[in-house]
Amino acid sequence: MKKNIQLVKTLLKYTFSIVPIVAGLDKFSNILTNWSQYISEGFAGLLPFDAATFMMIVGVIEIVAGVLVFTKTKIGALIVAAWLTGISLTLLFSWSYVDVAVRDLVIAIAAFSLAKLSEEKL
C-alpha cells in the first residue's frame, strides 16, 4: 500500500512540476494555444498593458510554481491548487470557458491532494 501511495505522490509531483513549466513557457510562444483568448474583454480593458504581456507575466508565475512543486512539493502544490482555483473562479464569474473552469477545479483538487500526500512521511 505504501508503495502505491509513493507512486501516486511521485506521479503527481512530476505532473505538477512539468505541466506548469510547459504551460508557462508556452505563454511566450503560443504554440499550444493563443492564451490571450482566455482573458475576458472587461479584464483586458483594465490592464495597463496588452493581454499578451499579461500572459507572459502569468507564464513566469507558472514556471516558478512548477519549480516550487519540484523543490518544495507541499508549498508548491498548494500554490498550484490556489492558482488553478483562481483561474476557475475568474472563468466562472465571466461565464466563459466554463468547461476549462471545471477542468481546472478538478486539477486543483489533484494538486491539493499532492500537498496533503506531501505531509506524510512515506
Side-chain angles (χ1 to χ4, degrees):
M1 182 72 126
K2 227 173 163 179
K3 194 174 182 180
N4 288 336
I5 294 170
Q6 183 61 49
L7 175 64
V8 169
K9 180 182 170 186
T10 301
L11 286 170
L12 289 171
K13 177 179 177 174
Y14 281 101
T15 298
F16 285 110
S17 295
I18 294 168
V19 172
I21 292 170
V22 169
L25 289 171
D26 195 56
K27 301 298 190 292
F28 294 88
S29 63
N30 290 308
I31 293 171
L32 299 174
T33 190
N34 175 7
W35 294 98
S36 297
Q37 72 181 331
Y38 295 107
I39 300 174
S40 71
E41 289 181 25
F43 182 73
L46 298 173
L47 295 173
F49 35 73
D50 66 5
T53 301
F54 176 75
M55 292 313 291
M56 288 180 193
I57 294 167
V58 167
V60 170
I61 294 167
E62 290 174 338
I63 292 165
V64 170
V67 170
L68 270 175
V69 171
F70 191 74
T71 59
K72 298 191 180 302
T73 303
K74 181 183 173 188
I75 188 71
L78 288 172
I79 290 168
V80 169
W83 183 256
L84 288 166
T85 300
I87 291 169
S88 296
L89 292 173
T90 301
L91 293 173
L92 287 172
F93 289 141
S94 67
W95 205 250
S96 60
Y97 300 101
V98 176
D99 57 327
V100 175
V102 171
R103 180 204 62 201
D104 280 358
L105 279 175
V106 171
I107 297 170
I109 292 167
F112 180 76
S113 299
L114 173 59
K116 297 309 279 181
L117 283 172
S118 296
E119 291 176 352
E120 304 296 323
K121 294 289 179 205
L122 303 174

